[in-house]
Amino acid sequence: MLWAEEDFISHYEYGQMLYANPRGISCVQCHGKSGEGQTIVEYRDTDGKQALKGSDIRRNTLDEMMKAVNSYHEVMPRYYLTEQEVKAIYDYLQKKNAAYLSKIAAHNATP
């Protein structure tokens, strides 16, 4: 009965699934495939060409992410995610961006 102790999907896969479609609107649409941020829409107004961009969330802390998804914003919807769901997304992004985050940490550690 060893198989009975295994999860249907891994914690990483759960985070990946939530990031792709947490509550009908994908994080990917604004924050990009890896959380790097991307342009949502470009438009022109009286000041010329403008762009609405999703933020880079790769270096956000778990607390920052928790607050962001459960707060009201001008553009981003409020998702009402549980702590476990946000943690899964956070862990997914940390693992997916491990090389990038290591490079940033090494750069910041260099005097």
Side-chain angles (χ1 to χ4, degrees):
M1 293 287 268
L2 183 61
W3 59 269
E5 295 177 18
E6 296 178 13
D7 290 335
F8 179 68
I9 61 173
S10 71
H11 183 71
Y12 179 85
E13 291 168 325
Y14 183 53
Q16 182 180 31
M17 179 191 73
L18 288 169
Y19 187 73
N21 191 7
R23 297 285 190 267
I25 300 173
S26 174
C27 304
V28 175
Q29 292 174 325
C30 301
H31 298 291
K33 291 181 182 179
S34 297
E36 71 280 5
Q38 67 180 19
T39 300
I40 301 166
V41 67
E42 292 181 341
Y43 61 94
R44 292 193 181 279
D45 65 9
T46 56
D47 295 325
K49 188 175 180 181
Q50 303 292 324
L52 178 62
K53 297 181 179 186
S55 61
D56 183 335
I57 59 173
R58 294 176 291 181
R59 292 187 277 165
N60 283 21
T61 66
L62 177 58
D63 288 339
E64 290 169 332
M65 196 170 287
M66 194 77 67
K67 184 177 178 182
V69 298
N70 291 311
S71 298
Y72 292 103
H73 302 276
E74 289 182 19
V75 177
M76 187 172 117
R78 186 169 180 187
Y79 283 99
Y80 298 97
L81 298 175
T82 68
E83 190 171 324
Q84 290 172 332
E85 290 171 325
V86 177
K87 176 85 168 96
I89 292 170
Y90 174 80
D91 291 344
Y92 162 72
L93 289 173
Q94 292 292 298
K95 188 170 183 178
K96 183 173 180 86
N97 292 295
Y100 167 79
L101 294 169
S102 292
K103 182 179 174 182
I104 294 296
H107 178 71
N108 290 341
T110 305

Coordinates of all heavy atoms in Angstrom, one line a residue, residues 17-90:
M17 N 0.1 24.6 -11.6 CA -1.3 24.6 -12.0 C -2.0 25.9 -11.5 O -2.7 26.6 -12.2 CB -2.1 23.4 -11.4 CG -3.5 23.3 -11.8 SD -4.4 22.1 -10.8 CE -4.4 22.8 -9.2
L18 N -1.8 26.3 -10.3 CA -2.4 27.5 -9.7 C -1.9 28.7 -10.4 O -2.6 29.7 -10.6 CB -2.1 27.6 -8.2 CG -2.9 26.6 -7.3 CD1 -2.3 26.6 -5.9 CD2 -4.4 26.9 -7.3
Y19 N -0.6 28.8 -10.7 CA 0.0 29.9 -11.4 C -0.6 30.1 -12.8 O -0.9 31.2 -13.2 CB 1.5 29.8 -11.5 CG 2.2 31.0 -12.0 CD1 2.4 32.1 -11.3 CD2 2.8 31.0 -13.3 CE1 3.0 33.3 -11.8 CE2 3.4 32.1 -13.8 CZ 3.5 33.2 -13.0 OH 4.1 34.4 -13.5
A20 N -0.9 29.0 -13.4 CA -1.5 29.0 -14.8 C -2.9 29.4 -14.7 O -3.4 30.0 -15.7 CB -1.3 27.6 -15.4
N21 N -3.7 29.1 -13.7 CA -5.1 29.4 -13.6 C -5.6 29.4 -12.2 O -6.3 28.4 -11.8 CB -5.9 28.4 -14.5 CG -7.3 28.9 -14.7 OD1 -7.7 30.0 -14.3 ND2 -8.1 28.1 -15.3
P22 N -5.3 30.4 -11.4 CA -5.7 30.3 -10.0 C -7.2 30.5 -9.8 O -7.8 29.8 -9.0 CB -4.9 31.5 -9.3 CG -4.6 32.4 -10.4 CD -4.5 31.6 -11.7
R23 N -7.8 31.4 -10.4 CA -9.3 31.6 -10.3 C -9.8 32.2 -11.5 O -10.5 33.2 -11.5 CB -9.6 32.6 -9.1 CG -9.2 32.1 -7.7 CD -10.1 31.1 -7.2 NE -9.9 30.8 -5.8 CZ -9.1 29.8 -5.4 NH1 -8.4 29.0 -6.2 NH2 -9.0 29.6 -4.1
G24 N -9.5 31.6 -12.7 CA -10.0 32.1 -13.9 C -9.2 33.0 -14.7 O -9.3 33.2 -15.9
I25 N -8.3 33.8 -14.0 CA -7.4 34.7 -14.7 C -5.9 34.3 -14.4 O -5.5 34.3 -13.2 CB -7.6 36.2 -14.3 CG1 -9.0 36.6 -14.6 CG2 -6.6 37.1 -15.0 CD1 -9.4 37.9 -14.1
S26 N -5.2 33.9 -15.4 CA -3.9 33.4 -15.2 C -2.9 34.4 -14.8 O -2.8 35.6 -15.3 CB -3.4 32.8 -16.6 OG -2.0 32.4 -16.5
C27 N -2.0 34.1 -13.8 CA -0.9 34.9 -13.4 C 0.1 35.2 -14.6 O 0.7 36.2 -14.7 CB -0.1 34.2 -12.3 SG -1.0 33.8 -10.8
V28 N 0.2 34.2 -15.5 CA 1.1 34.2 -16.7 C 0.7 35.4 -17.5 O 1.6 36.0 -18.1 CB 1.0 32.9 -17.5 CG1 1.8 33.0 -18.7 CG2 1.4 31.7 -16.6
Q29 N -0.6 35.7 -17.7 CA -1.0 36.8 -18.6 C -0.3 38.2 -18.2 O -0.1 39.0 -19.1 CB -2.5 37.0 -18.5 CG -3.2 35.8 -19.1 CD -4.7 35.9 -19.0 OE1 -5.2 36.4 -18.0 NE2 -5.5 35.5 -19.9
C30 N 0.0 38.4 -17.0 CA 0.6 39.7 -16.6 C 2.0 39.5 -16.1 O 2.9 40.4 -16.3 CB -0.2 40.3 -15.5 SG -1.9 40.6 -15.9
H31 N 2.3 38.4 -15.4 CA 3.6 38.2 -14.8 C 4.6 37.4 -15.6 O 5.7 37.2 -15.2 CB 3.5 37.7 -13.4 CG 2.7 38.6 -12.5 ND1 3.2 39.8 -12.0 CD2 1.5 38.5 -11.9 CE1 2.3 40.4 -11.2 NE2 1.2 39.6 -11.2
G32 N 4.1 36.9 -16.7 CA 5.0 36.1 -17.6 C 5.1 34.6 -17.1 O 4.7 34.2 -16.1
K33 N 5.7 33.8 -18.0 CA 5.8 32.4 -17.7 C 6.6 32.0 -16.5 O 6.3 31.0 -15.8 CB 6.5 31.7 -18.9 CG 5.6 31.7 -20.2 CD 6.3 30.9 -21.3 CE 5.5 31.0 -22.6 NZ 6.1 30.3 -23.7
S34 N 7.6 32.9 -16.1 CA 8.4 32.6 -14.9 C 8.3 33.6 -13.8 O 9.1 33.6 -12.9 CB 9.9 32.5 -15.4 OG 10.0 31.4 -16.3
G35 N 7.3 34.6 -14.0 CA 7.2 35.6 -13.0 C 8.0 36.9 -13.3 O 8.1 37.8 -12.5
E36 N 8.6 36.9 -14.5 CA 9.4 38.0 -14.9 C 8.7 39.3 -15.2 O 9.4 40.4 -15.3 CB 10.3 37.6 -16.1 CG 9.6 37.5 -17.4 CD 8.8 36.2 -17.6 OE1 8.7 35.3 -16.6 OE2 8.3 36.0 -18.7
G37 N 7.4 39.3 -15.3 CA 6.6 40.5 -15.7 C 6.6 40.7 -17.2 O 7.6 40.3 -17.9
Q38 N 5.6 41.2 -17.7 CA 5.5 41.4 -19.1 C 4.4 42.5 -19.4 O 3.6 42.9 -18.5 CB 5.1 40.1 -19.9 CG 3.7 39.6 -19.6 CD 3.5 38.3 -20.4 OE1 4.4 37.7 -20.8 NE2 2.3 37.9 -20.5
T39 N 4.5 43.0 -20.6 CA 3.5 44.0 -21.0 C 2.1 43.4 -21.2 O 2.0 42.4 -21.9 CB 4.0 44.7 -22.4 OG1 5.2 45.3 -22.2 CG2 3.0 45.7 -22.8
I40 N 1.2 44.0 -20.6 CA -0.2 43.5 -20.7 C -0.9 44.2 -21.9 O -1.5 43.5 -22.7 CB -1.0 43.9 -19.4 CG1 -0.3 43.2 -18.2 CG2 -2.5 43.4 -19.5 CD1 -0.8 43.8 -16.8
V41 N -0.7 45.5 -22.0 CA -1.3 46.2 -23.1 C -0.5 47.5 -23.4 O 0.0 48.1 -22.4 CB -2.8 46.5 -22.8 CG1 -3.0 47.5 -21.7 CG2 -3.5 47.0 -24.1
E42 N -0.5 47.9 -24.6 CA 0.1 49.2 -25.0 C -1.0 50.0 -25.5 O -1.9 49.5 -26.2 CB 1.2 49.0 -26.0 CG 2.4 48.3 -25.5 CD 3.5 48.2 -26.5 OE1 3.2 48.3 -27.7 OE2 4.7 47.9 -26.1
Y43 N -1.0 51.3 -25.3 CA -2.0 52.2 -25.7 C -1.4 53.6 -25.9 O -0.3 53.9 -25.5 CB -3.2 52.3 -24.7 CG -2.8 52.7 -23.3 CD1 -2.9 54.0 -22.9 CD2 -2.3 51.8 -22.4 CE1 -2.5 54.5 -21.7 CE2 -1.9 52.2 -21.1 CZ -2.0 53.5 -20.8 OH -1.7 54.0 -19.5
R44 N -2.1 54.5 -26.5 CA -1.7 55.9 -26.7 C -2.7 56.8 -26.0 O -3.9 56.6 -26.0 CB -1.7 56.3 -28.2 CG -0.7 55.6 -29.0 CD -0.5 56.2 -30.3 NE 0.5 55.5 -31.1 CZ 1.8 55.7 -31.0 NH1 2.3 56.6 -30.1 NH2 2.7 55.0 -31.8
D45 N -2.1 57.8 -25.3 CA -3.0 58.8 -24.7 C -2.3 60.2 -25.0 O -1.5 60.2 -25.9 CB -3.1 58.6 -23.2 CG -1.8 58.7 -22.4 OD1 -0.8 59.1 -23.0 OD2 -1.9 58.4 -21.2
T46 N -2.7 61.2 -24.4 CA -2.2 62.5 -24.7 C -0.7 62.7 -24.4 O -0.1 63.6 -25.0 CB -3.0 63.6 -23.8 OG1 -2.8 63.3 -22.4 CG2 -4.4 63.7 -24.2
D47 N -0.1 61.8 -23.6 CA 1.3 61.8 -23.4 C 2.1 60.9 -24.3 O 3.3 60.7 -24.2 CB 1.6 61.4 -21.9 CG 1.0 62.3 -20.9 OD1 1.1 63.6 -21.2 OD2 0.6 61.9 -19.9
G48 N 1.4 60.3 -25.3 CA 2.0 59.4 -26.2 C 1.8 57.9 -25.9 O 0.8 57.6 -25.3
K49 N 2.7 57.1 -26.4 CA 2.6 55.7 -26.2 C 2.8 55.3 -24.8 O 3.8 55.7 -24.2 CB 3.6 55.0 -27.1 CG 3.4 53.5 -27.2 CD 4.3 52.8 -28.2 CE 4.1 51.3 -28.2 NZ 5.0 50.7 -29.2
Q50 N 1.9 54.5 -24.2 CA 2.0 54.1 -22.8 C 1.9 52.5 -22.8 O 1.4 51.9 -23.8 CB 0.9 54.6 -22.0 CG 0.8 56.2 -22.0 CD 2.0 56.8 -21.3 OE1 2.4 56.3 -20.3 NE2 2.4 57.9 -21.8
A51 N 2.3 52.0 -21.7 CA 2.2 50.5 -21.5 C 1.8 50.2 -20.1 O 2.3 50.8 -19.2 CB 3.5 49.8 -21.9
L52 N 0.9 49.2 -20.0 CA 0.6 48.7 -18.7 C 1.3 47.4 -18.6 O 1.2 46.5 -19.4 CB -1.0 48.5 -18.6 CG -1.5 47.8 -17.4 CD1 -1.2 48.7 -16.2 CD2 -3.0 47.6 -17.5
K53 N 2.1 47.3 -17.5 CA 3.0 46.1 -17.4 C 2.7 45.4 -16.1 O 2.5 46.0 -15.0 CB 4.5 46.5 -17.4 CG 4.9 47.1 -18.8 CD 6.3 47.5 -18.8 CE 6.7 48.1 -20.2 NZ 8.1 48.3 -20.3
G54 N 2.8 44.1 -16.1 CA 2.8 43.3 -14.9 C 4.1 43.3 -14.2 O 5.2 43.3 -14.9
S55 N 4.2 43.3 -12.9 CA 5.4 43.4 -12.2 C 6.2 42.0 -12.2 O 5.7 41.0 -12.4 CB 5.2 43.8 -10.8 OG 4.4 42.9 -10.1
D56 N 7.5 42.2 -12.0 CA 8.4 41.0 -11.9 C 8.2 40.5 -10.4 O 8.5 41.3 -9.5 CB 9.9 41.5 -12.1 CG 10.9 40.3 -12.1 OD1 10.6 39.3 -11.4 OD2 11.9 40.4 -12.7
I57 N 7.8 39.3 -10.3 CA 7.5 38.8 -8.9 C 8.5 37.7 -8.5 O 8.3 37.1 -7.5 CB 6.0 38.3 -8.8 CG1 5.8 37.2 -9.8 CG2 5.1 39.4 -9.0 CD1 4.4 36.5 -9.7
R58 N 9.5 37.5 -9.3 CA 10.5 36.4 -9.0 C 11.2 36.6 -7.7 O 11.5 35.6 -7.0 CB 11.5 36.3 -10.1 CG 10.9 35.8 -11.4 CD 11.9 35.8 -12.5 NE 12.3 37.2 -12.8 CZ 13.2 37.5 -13.8 NH1 13.7 36.5 -14.5 NH2 13.5 38.7 -14.0
R59 N 11.4 37.8 -7.2 CA 12.2 38.1 -6.0 C 11.2 38.5 -4.8 O 11.7 38.8 -3.8 CB 13.2 39.2 -6.2 CG 14.3 38.7 -7.1 CD 15.4 39.6 -7.2 NE 15.1 40.7 -8.2 CZ 15.8 41.8 -8.3 NH1 16.7 42.1 -7.5 NH2 15.4 42.6 -9.3
N60 N 9.9 38.4 -5.0 CA 9.0 38.7 -4.0 C 9.1 37.6 -2.8 O 9.4 36.5 -3.1 CB 7.6 38.7 -4.4 CG 7.2 39.9 -5.2 OD1 8.0 40.6 -5.7 ND2 5.9 40.2 -5.3
T61 N 8.9 38.1 -1.6 CA 8.9 37.2 -0.5 C 7.5 36.5 -0.4 O 6.6 37.0 -1.1 CB 9.2 37.9 0.8 OG1 8.1 38.8 1.1 CG2 10.5 38.6 0.8
L62 N 7.4 35.4 0.3 CA 6.1 34.8 0.5 C 5.1 35.8 1.1 O 4.0 35.8 0.7 CB 6.3 33.5 1.4 CG 5.0 32.8 1.7 CD1 4.3 32.3 0.5 CD2 5.3 31.6 2.6
D63 N 5.6 36.6 2.1 CA 4.7 37.5 2.7 C 4.2 38.6 1.7 O 3.0 38.9 1.7 CB 5.3 38.2 3.9 CG 5.5 37.3 5.1 OD1 4.8 36.3 5.2 OD2 6.4 37.6 6.0
E64 N 5.1 39.0 0.8 CA 4.7 40.0 -0.2 C 3.7 39.4 -1.1 O 2.7 40.0 -1.5 CB 5.9 40.5 -1.0 CG 6.8 41.4 -0.2 CD 8.1 41.7 -0.9 OE1 8.6 40.8 -1.7 OE2 8.7 42.7 -0.6
M65 N 3.9 38.2 -1.5 CA 3.0 37.5 -2.4 C 1.6 37.2 -1.8 O 0.6 37.4 -2.4 CB 3.6 36.2 -2.9 CG 2.9 35.6 -4.1 SD 3.8 34.2 -4.8 CE 5.2 35.1 -5.6
M66 N 1.7 36.9 -0.5 CA 0.4 36.6 0.2 C -0.4 37.9 0.3 O -1.6 37.9 0.0 CB 0.8 36.2 1.7 CG -0.4 35.6 2.4 SD -0.8 33.9 1.9 CE 0.7 33.0 2.5
K67 N 0.2 39.0 0.6 CA -0.5 40.3 0.6 C -1.0 40.7 -0.7 O -2.1 41.1 -0.9 CB 0.5 41.4 1.2 CG -0.2 42.7 1.4 CD 0.7 43.7 2.0 CE 0.0 45.0 2.1 NZ 0.9 46.1 2.7
A68 N -0.2 40.5 -1.8 CA -0.6 40.9 -3.1 C -1.8 40.2 -3.6 O -2.7 40.8 -4.2 CB 0.6 40.7 -4.1
V69 N -1.9 38.9 -3.5 CA -3.0 38.1 -4.0 C -4.3 38.3 -3.2 O -5.4 38.0 -3.7 CB -2.7 36.6 -4.3 CG1 -1.6 36.5 -5.2 CG2 -2.4 35.9 -3.0
N70 N -4.2 38.8 -2.0 CA -5.3 38.9 -1.2 C -5.7 40.3 -0.8 O -6.3 40.6 0.2 CB -5.2 38.1 0.1 CG -5.2 36.6 -0.2 OD1 -6.1 36.1 -0.9 ND2 -4.2 35.8 0.3
S71 N -5.2 41.3 -1.6 CA -5.5 42.7 -1.5 C -6.1 43.2 -2.7 O -6.1 42.6 -3.8 CB -4.2 43.5 -1.2 OG -3.5 43.0 -0.1
Y72 N -6.7 44.4 -2.6 CA -7.3 45.1 -3.7 C -6.2 45.9 -4.5 O -5.4 46.6 -3.8 CB -8.4 46.0 -3.3 CG -9.6 45.2 -2.8 CD1 -9.9 45.1 -1.4 CD2 -10.5 44.5 -3.7 CE1 -11.0 44.4 -1.0 CE2 -11.5 43.8 -3.2 CZ -11.8 43.7 -1.9 OH -12.8 43.0 -1.4
H73 N -6.2 45.9 -5.8 CA -5.3 46.6 -6.6 C -6.1 47.3 -7.7 O -7.3 46.9 -8.0 CB -4.3 45.7 -7.3 CG -3.5 44.9 -6.3 ND1 -2.4 45.4 -5.7 CD2 -3.7 43.6 -5.8 CE1 -1.9 44.5 -4.9 NE2 -2.6 43.4 -5.0
E74 N -5.5 48.3 -8.4 CA -6.2 49.0 -9.5 C -6.4 48.1 -10.7 O -7.3 48.2 -11.4 CB -5.3 50.2 -9.9 CG -5.4 51.3 -8.9 CD -4.6 52.5 -9.4 OE1 -4.4 52.7 -10.6 OE2 -4.3 53.4 -8.5
V75 N -5.4 47.2 -10.9 CA -5.5 46.3 -12.1 C -5.7 44.8 -11.7 O -6.5 44.2 -12.3 CB -4.2 46.5 -13.0 CG1 -4.2 45.6 -14.2 CG2 -4.1 47.9 -13.4
M76 N -4.8 44.3 -10.8 CA -4.8 42.9 -10.5 C -6.1 42.5 -9.7 O -6.4 43.2 -8.8 CB -3.6 42.6 -9.7 CG -3.4 41.1 -9.5 SD -1.8 40.7 -8.7 CE -2.4 40.0 -7.2
P77 N -6.7 41.5 -10.1 CA -7.9 41.0 -9.4 C -7.5 40.5 -8.0 O -6.4 40.0 -7.8 CB -8.5 39.9 -10.2 CG -7.4 39.4 -11.1 CD -6.4 40.6 -11.3
R78 N -8.4 40.5 -7.1 CA -8.2 39.8 -5.8 C -8.6 38.3 -6.0 O -9.6 38.0 -6.4 CB -9.1 40.5 -4.7 CG -8.8 39.9 -3.4 CD -9.5 40.8 -2.3 NE -9.1 40.2 -1.0 CZ -9.7 40.6 0.1 NH1 -10.5 41.6 0.1 NH2 -9.4 40.1 1.2
Y79 N -7.7 37.5 -5.6 CA -7.8 36.0 -5.9 C -8.5 35.2 -4.8 O -9.0 34.1 -5.0 CB -6.5 35.4 -6.3 CG -6.1 35.8 -7.7 CD1 -5.2 36.8 -8.0 CD2 -6.7 35.1 -8.8 CE1 -4.9 37.1 -9.3 CE2 -6.3 35.4 -10.1 CZ -5.4 36.4 -10.3 OH -5.1 36.7 -11.6
Y80 N -8.4 35.7 -3.5 CA -8.9 34.9 -2.4 C -8.2 33.5 -2.3 O -8.9 32.5 -2.1 CB -10.4 34.8 -2.4 CG -11.1 36.1 -2.4 CD1 -11.5 36.8 -3.5 CD2 -11.3 36.8 -1.1 CE1 -12.2 38.0 -3.5 CE2 -11.9 38.0 -1.1 CZ -12.3 38.6 -2.3 OH -13.0 39.8 -2.2
L81 N -6.9 33.5 -2.5 CA -6.2 32.2 -2.4 C -5.9 31.9 -0.9 O -5.7 32.8 -0.1 CB -4.9 32.3 -3.2 CG -5.0 32.5 -4.7 CD1 -3.7 32.7 -5.3 CD2 -5.8 31.4 -5.3
T82 N -5.9 30.6 -0.6 CA -5.5 30.2 0.7 C -4.0 30.3 0.9 O -3.3 30.4 0.0 CB -5.9 28.7 1.0 OG1 -5.1 27.9 0.2 CG2 -7.4 28.5 0.7
E83 N -3.6 30.3 2.2 CA -2.2 30.3 2.5 C -1.4 29.2 1.8 O -0.3 29.4 1.2 CB -1.9 30.3 4.0 CG -0.5 30.6 4.4 CD -0.4 30.7 5.9 OE1 -1.3 31.3 6.5 OE2 0.7 30.3 6.4
Q84 N -2.0 28.0 1.8 CA -1.4 26.8 1.1 C -1.3 27.0 -0.4 O -0.3 26.6 -1.0 CB -2.2 25.6 1.4 CG -2.1 25.1 2.8 CD -3.1 24.0 3.1 OE1 -4.1 23.8 2.5 NE2 -2.7 23.1 4.1
E85 N -2.3 27.6 -1.0 CA -2.2 27.9 -2.4 C -1.1 28.9 -2.8 O -0.4 28.7 -3.8 CB -3.6 28.4 -2.9 CG -4.7 27.3 -2.9 CD -6.1 27.8 -3.2 OE1 -6.4 28.9 -2.8 OE2 -6.8 27.1 -3.8
V86 N -1.1 30.0 -2.0 CA 0.0 31.0 -2.3 C 1.3 30.4 -2.1 O 2.3 30.6 -2.8 CB -0.2 32.3 -1.4 CG1 0.9 33.3 -1.6 CG2 -1.6 32.9 -1.7
K87 N 1.5 29.6 -1.0 CA 2.8 28.9 -0.8 C 3.2 28.0 -1.9 O 4.3 28.0 -2.3 CB 2.7 28.1 0.5 CG 3.9 27.3 0.9 CD 4.9 28.1 1.6 CE 6.0 27.3 2.2 NZ 7.2 27.2 1.4
A88 N 2.2 27.3 -2.5 CA 2.5 26.4 -3.6 C 3.0 27.3 -4.8 O 3.9 26.9 -5.5 CB 1.3 25.6 -4.0
I89 N 2.3 28.4 -5.1 CA 2.7 29.3 -6.2 C 4.1 29.8 -5.9 O 5.0 29.8 -6.8 CB 1.7 30.4 -6.4 CG1 0.4 29.8 -6.9 CG2 2.3 31.4 -7.4 CD1 -0.7 30.8 -7.0
Y90 N 4.4 30.3 -4.7 CA 5.7 30.8 -4.3 C 6.8 29.8 -4.5 O 7.8 30.1 -5.1 CB 5.6 31.3 -2.9 CG 6.9 31.8 -2.3 CD1 7.4 33.0 -2.6 CD2 7.7 30.9 -1.5 CE1 8.6 33.4 -2.1 CE2 8.9 31.3 -1.0 CZ 9.4 32.6 -1.4 OH 10.6 33.0 -0.9

